[in-house]
Amino acid sequence: MNQSVLDSQLHRMEQALRASPDQMLEFKAKRDLLARILQLKEEKNVLILGHNYMEPLVFYLSGENERGDSLALSRRAAETDKPIILFDGVRFMAETAKILSPDKKVLIPDPEAGCSLAEPFTAADVLEYRRRYPGCPVVTYINSYADVKAETDYCCTSSNGPNVVRHAARAFGTNRVIFFPDSLMGANLQKELEPDGIEIIYPGKEDDKFGRCEVHEKFTVEILRGIRRQYNLIKGSEETAVLAHWECLPEVLAEADYYGSTSQMAQYIAKHPKLKRVFLATECEMAANLALEYPQVEFVKTCNMFCQHMRRITLEKILYSLEHEVYEISVDPAIAARARQAIDRMLEVPRG
Ligand code: CIZ
Ligand code: SF4
């Protein structure tokens, strides 16, 4: 890459980070490392995707259309013509990109970046639920591995969960839907879809095996109320907001002013220009990234809820991954083809 293109990419990053003196210091300290990554990205023609939970320097390494939640990034992975995709996120996300782009080389900087929601379940669990609830469609959250997706009728993400579940119930002519593997999101969907007369069957509802996000389950109503008091975040005020993620406890969602996926939280902030102070009940890097985009909003910084899996992705590992073209994601083609059907069905559901 010629020097002026590299300089302009570094300048773009510097501009994105300029609202935070801490990030600027870090940018300066790591400028050479960033330059080397951007150079390799260009030389090898790589698409670098960055999930909303990446730390700011990793997040803003990706261009505007290459950052976001797993739904947006999956769509981007499916349409790229670049030969290599490097996924800055956790393994199930990179695996989804591979399923959607089987001819591409898909890399993850750390193959051990897992997820407490995806880990406990296999295809056998889904088959067991199918046996117990014949005729009910299975909707599987994107936080799952390919073997689980392969046994699934529809995939969904936190951005489109209620819409996909409603669609699946209609398509199967039933009011009972099996939802895998997030027990808290299952309970939250149950509440959300009660007015539609839909019953959600999810792990942990009628048995002992359940799935929870180890980050979001830590937020409690007491924590949210304490933060409301301490930071004067008044419920219903136009100038403040407490936003929670679908993967939190049902009572935490009830305490929030709004709940949704990471992208929906970002959209909420964009649509409420009077906001002055916000607390996000989600992985803390999300607030760090939004703080750079909305310097006029104060993001309450009491957050210490980090995802140990997301944090495995560092600039140093990204460089290593690009240099050596490791760690490559592979998915059994027969499983990938069936998992893809579930993802495609999700992508075809009309937006609600
Ligand atoms: O769907 C995603 O990207 C996840 C795991 C979180 C969110 O809500 O964006
Ligand atoms: Fe999984 Fe939770 Fe980490 Fe997301 S934040 S990757 S759901 S453990």
Side-chain angles (χ1 to χ4, degrees), residues 17 20 23 26 51-60 215-216 219 262 265 280-293 299-314:
L17 300 166
S20 160
Q23 294 301 332
E26 194 142 346
H51 189 264
N52 285 332
Y53 292 157
M54 290 293 104
E55 60 170 283
L57 245 57
V58 173
F59 188 63
Y60 285 99
V215 179
H216 290 94
F219 291 98
T262 53
M265 291 184 199
L280 299 183
T282 193
E283 214 279 350
C284 303
E285 296 295 7
M286 175 80 195
N289 289 326
L290 284 175
L292 294 165
E293 210 172 315
F299 287 84
V300 172
K301 284 203 191 70
T302 54
C303 198
N304 59 357
M305 310 286 196
F306 291 98
C307 173
Q308 51 158 328
H309 307 287
M310 294 283 181
R311 297 199 109 185
R312 283 180 170 273
I313 309 301
T314 61

Side-chain angles (χ1 to χ4, degrees), residues 28-65:
K28 287 193 175 116
K30 300 208 163 166
R31 201 174 189 282
D32 291 348
L33 177 57
L34 288 163
R36 184 79 191 109
I37 291 172
L38 290 170
Q39 218 155 13
L40 278 171
K41 174 187 172 203
E42 199 70 18
E43 268 167 40
K44 298 194 175 195
N45 199 15
V46 181
L47 174 73
I48 301 188
L49 299 173
H51 189 264
N52 285 332
Y53 292 157
M54 290 293 104
E55 60 170 283
L57 245 57
V58 173
F59 188 63
Y60 285 99
L61 191 57
S62 293
E64 198 179 340
N65 297 324

Side-chain angles (χ1 to χ4, degrees), residues 53 90 92 114-117 143 213-216 247 283 307 309-310:
Y53 292 157
V90 293
F92 76 80
C115 171
S116 67
L117 272 177
N143 299 41
C213 165
E214 65 195 27
V215 179
H216 290 94
E247 291 162 17
E283 214 279 350
C307 173
H309 307 287
M310 294 283 181

Side-chain angles (χ1 to χ4, degrees), residues 51-53 68-71 92-93 141-143 157-159 216 245-247 260-263 282 310:
H51 189 264
N52 285 332
Y53 292 157
D69 67 2
S70 57
L71 178 61
F92 76 80
M93 297 177 178
Y141 198 31
I142 196 128
N143 299 41
T157 73
S158 43
S159 284
H216 290 94
H245 194 275
W246 275 110
E247 291 162 17
S261 66
T262 53
S263 305
T282 193
M310 294 283 181

